[in-house]
Amino acid sequence: MYHILVLAGVGCLFTLLAAVLQPFYSINLWLSDQLFIPEPPSPNIVIVGIDDATLETYGRLSEWPRRLHAQAIDNLSEAGAKVIGLDILLVDSSPDDQILASAMESSNNIVLPMVGTEPLPTTEPEITFNRSLLPVFSLEQASASIGHANVFPDRDGRVRRLPLLIRDSAGQVYPAFSVAMLHTLFSMPLPQEYVLQDGALNLLARDVSVDEHYRLRINFAADTASSPYISYGDVIRDDFEHSLVK
C-alpha cells in the first residue's frame, strides 16, 4: 500500500509540474515566433495548388489517372519551370506510370517526396524511421531527386522546425524535400555526408543553422498570401500565364 501511495504521489507531482510549466512553454514558443522579421515572399517560388476547383473537375486525387500529372509536367516544362516539386506520394503502381515516367525523364527536373513512418529510438542525430514510403521504382528512377516530407508539430499543433535530414532503419539518409529541390535547381548533387559543425550544416556554400537533430527553425514571416499561385487544374489544361513560372 505504501508503494502505491508513493507512486501515486510521484504521478501527481509530475502532473502538477506539467500544469505549471505548460504556460511557460507556450509563452516561450510565442516569443520565439516574434523574432522573425516580416519579408515579402520570393517571386521565384510559385505554388501550384490542388484546390477545390481542381477537385471538382477531376475528382478525388487518389483516383486521378497519372497521365494528368504527366500533362501538368509537360506544360510547366514548356513554360520554363527550372525545378518542379511534385509533392504527391506515388507509392502504388498505376497503368499510367510509364507515361508519367517519360514526362519526368523529358523534363529532367522533377523532385518527388517520400515519408518515413514509425519513428525509432536511436543514438544517431537524425530522426530515424522504421519504414519508408517511397515512390514507385520507375518513378523514383525517373526523378531528379527524392526528399522527405515529414513534419513534426510542437505541442500547440504548429510546425516550427523542419528536419533537414532523416534516416531509415537501413541507414539511408534522405534530405528534406526543399533541400532536394534546391540542389536540383542549382544542378548540384546532394552531399555524400552531412557534417554538423558549430551548429550548422553547409549546404550549397551556405551555413544553415540547425539543432542537434538537424532541424531548421522555419521562418514563417513571409506573407504567403501574396505568393504567386496557380490552380493545378489550370496547369493541366495549360490555361495559365507561362511568365509566372519562367
Side-chain angles (χ1 to χ4, degrees):
M1 183 68 178
Y2 173 76
H3 295 291
I4 294 175
L5 290 175
V6 170
L7 290 174
V10 171
C12 291
L13 177 61
F14 278 111
T15 301
L16 179 61
L17 284 173
V20 171
L21 294 176
Q22 179 61 32
F24 293 99
Y25 175 80
S26 300
I27 290 171
N28 182 56
L29 289 178
W30 180 84
L31 288 173
S32 70
D33 292 342
Q34 313 312 307
L35 297 176
F36 295 103
I37 300 172
E39 299 174 351
S42 170
N44 297 322
I45 299 173
V46 180
I47 298 171
V48 178
I50 301 176
D51 48 23
D52 289 342
T54 302
L55 295 175
E56 287 175 6
T57 301
Y58 297 104
R60 295 174 57 184
L61 177 61
S62 60
E63 298 174 355
W64 288 14
R66 287 183 182 164
R67 56 183 169 77
L68 295 180
H69 301 310
Q71 196 168 325
I73 288 171
D74 288 342
N75 292 337
L76 287 171
S77 297
E78 182 66 26
K82 296 297 184 184
V83 58
I84 301 170
L86 189 64
D87 194 9
I88 302 170
L89 284 175
L90 303 169
V91 297
D92 298 315
S93 299
S94 86
D96 284 349
D97 283 347
Q98 189 52 55
I99 296 173
L100 179 54
S102 295
M104 292 171 59
E105 289 172 350
S106 178
S107 179
N108 197 34
N109 63 358
I110 308 299
V111 179
L112 292 181
M114 59 79 63
V115 295
T117 63
E118 303 172 17
L120 294 172
T122 179
T123 58
E124 299 290 344
E126 302 96 342
I127 299 170
T128 303
F129 293 90
N130 185 40
R131 296 181 59 222
S132 298
L133 298 180
L134 292 163
V136 173
F137 182 73
S138 62
L139 301 181
E140 181 180 0
Q141 292 296 106
S143 68
S145 190
I146 300 288
H148 82 80
N150 289 85
V151 293
F152 299 87
D154 287 323
R155 293 181 198 171
D156 61 358
R158 295 185 179 183
V159 176
R160 293 180 174 85
R161 295 169 183 83
L162 172 67
L164 296 189
L165 305 172
I166 66 167
R167 181 187 294 266
D168 66 17
S169 57
Q172 176 66 44
V173 173
Y174 294 95
F177 189 64
S178 52
V179 173
M181 286 188 64
L182 275 173
H183 279 78
T184 302
L185 174 64
F186 291 106
S187 300
M188 294 290 291
L190 290 167
Q192 294 295 317
E193 296 183 1
Y194 297 87
V195 180
L196 183 62
Q197 186 172 6
D198 298 327
L201 279 176
N202 188 271
L203 298 172
L204 295 170
R206 294 203 175 203
D207 288 331
V208 182
S209 296
V210 294
D211 64 15
E212 67 276 13
H213 298 297
Y214 294 107
R215 295 181 302 180
L216 166 75
R217 182 60 158 86
I218 304 171
N219 183 358
F220 284 117
D223 180 15
T224 55
S226 60
S227 295
Y229 176 87
I230 308 171
S231 171
Y232 197 48
D234 291 341
V235 170
I236 293 172
R237 292 188 296 272
D238 198 14
D239 184 21
F240 66 99
E241 182 56 56
H242 285 200
S243 62
L244 286 174
V245 302
K246 185 174 182 180

